[in-house]
Amino acid sequence: MAGWDVHTHLIPPTVLAAVGSFGLTVDGDWLVVDGHERLPLRKLGDPAALLSWIDEQQLDGAVVSVPPALFRYDLGVEWAELLNEGLRSLAGPRLRVLGQLPLHDPAAAGVSSSLAAEGVFSGFALGTAGFGGLDEVWQVLDALEAFTLIHPGHSADKRLAAYYLSNLLGNPYETGLAAAELVFADVPGRFPGIRFCLCHGGGVTATLAGRWQRGIDTARPGIEPPSLSVADALRRFYVDDLVHDPAVLALLQTTFGADHVLAGSDWPFPMGSDQVDPDRAGAGERLTRPLGQGVAEG
């Protein structure tokens, strides 16, 4: 059975061409972003390596987003345009691309509409940089029924510096924080067309769903009850299956629904998967068809 890996990464060629500006430098085999974030250049800068992975896994293709170190929402529209130019050049029969939005810029909603109209982009990838005040963006993504990958960025908690905890604990926390913002702001209830997909199995989301509902039920401070229960809201999300634990995978199927657990490898990062499950790869094809080329079902 063939299918699509919904969670892979490449550095767009326009980023590599921009080294020397935008705070980009190269140190050996590493792309250095703003002097501290480091991205390995070999596979991340090589679309042919990703195509080899697709062949190795006997897949139809892969969905590409930029590594989270490149979200850089503080750079606004100019940076988003640079990334999207490079992503367009990567799109093809076996590589689908997720567009970059200048998320906190007033132009974000207009950019999402423009990218969708091209018929090139298969949705959008968003970092966990805070989702307040984005109703205009959600309105556009809702009308598009857009596949919208939520990928964690670097946690600001300095206690996570040791033991690689910035990734091992910080990434799952960041994804859970993003999911909580969406659930408590009633985004799944108000904008049901958006096909949000949470990376890394949704991080800590599934384990905290009951606690979040308890907070609603007991009217904890700052909570306005959303239109959906937490359980119903989470059933509107998709997640990838990248959890490295069969017991957690079973929890994901219970929490989000078995048909909402997609194949996602996080290629080519070391914390990714070595093998894509073909039984979960099929759904990725219909959910990530390029926007403007027919509405996906499901």
Side-chain angles (χ1 to χ4, degrees):
M1 179 186 297
W4 287 71
D5 181 343
V6 303
H7 180 185
T8 70
H9 298 288
L10 285 171
I11 299 172
T14 46
V15 172
L16 300 177
V19 168
S21 58
F22 291 102
L24 300 170
T25 59
V26 171
D27 180 12
D29 290 331
W30 298 86
L31 177 69
V32 183
V33 183
D34 288 334
H36 61 280
E37 295 261 25
R38 298 171 67 85
L39 294 171
L41 282 173
R42 292 180 181 175
K43 290 184 178 179
L44 270 177
D46 185 3
L50 177 52
L51 292 171
S52 294
W53 162 260
I54 292 168
D55 290 338
E56 176 187 329
Q57 298 297 313
Q58 299 182 342
L59 296 170
D60 292 318
V63 182
V64 175
S65 56
V66 301
L70 297 181
F71 286 140
R72 306 180 78 193
Y73 292 123
D74 58 311
L75 298 183
V77 173
E78 184 179 9
W79 179 251
E81 289 176 344
L82 178 79
L83 291 186
N84 289 325
E85 181 184 351
L87 288 163
R88 286 185 194 95
S89 72
L90 295 172
R94 295 197 294 163
L95 295 181
R96 295 176 177 175
V97 295
L98 300 179
Q100 172 80 4
L101 298 181
L103 196 59
H104 300 140
D105 190 284
V111 170
S112 59
S113 294
S114 296
L115 293 180
E118 295 180 19
V120 173
F121 293 90
S122 290
F124 306 95
L126 308 182
T128 52
F131 290 154
L134 293 179
D135 276 10
E136 289 187 5
V137 176
W138 302 145
Q139 287 170 4
V140 174
L141 272 53
D142 180 56
L144 294 169
E145 298 187 352
F147 183 81
T148 305
L149 189 76
I150 305 296
H151 197 294
H154 183 76
S155 173
D157 190 338
K158 295 181 180 179
R159 295 173 298 173
L160 302 177
Y163 312 118
Y164 200 58
L165 291 180
S166 62
N167 182 294
L168 301 181
L169 182 58
N171 278 15
Y173 163 78
E174 286 288 323
T175 304
L177 176 60
E181 288 183 294
L182 295 171
V183 168
F184 285 104
D186 199 27
V187 174
R190 294 185 294 126
F191 305 102
I194 306 175
R195 291 172 165 87
F196 287 111
C197 180
L198 306 173
C199 287
H200 313 132
V204 300
T205 301
T207 62
L208 294 177
R211 186 173 183 84
W212 294 353
Q213 187 60 54
R214 179 66 176 177
I216 294 170
D217 294 343
T218 57
R220 295 300 84 203
I223 296 177
E224 292 290 335
S227 66
L228 299 175
S229 69
V230 173
D232 287 342
L234 294 185
R235 284 272 172 164
R236 297 194 176 181
F237 287 86
Y238 293 85
V239 295
D240 70 20
D241 60 358
L242 188 59
V243 292
H244 307 293
D245 187 332
V248 176
L249 186 58
L251 175 61
L252 299 185
Q253 293 171 334
T254 299
T255 302
F256 299 98
D259 59 341
H260 278 218
V261 181
L262 310 177
S265 70
D266 206 3
W267 184 95
F269 287 101
M271 288 301 297
S273 174
D274 297 325
Q275 187 171 3
V276 173
D277 189 318
D279 291 333
R280 288 188 287 274
E285 192 282 328
R286 60 180 175 81
L287 289 167
T288 63
R289 292 170 188 163
L291 297 169
Q293 296 186 13
V295 176
E297 298 177 357

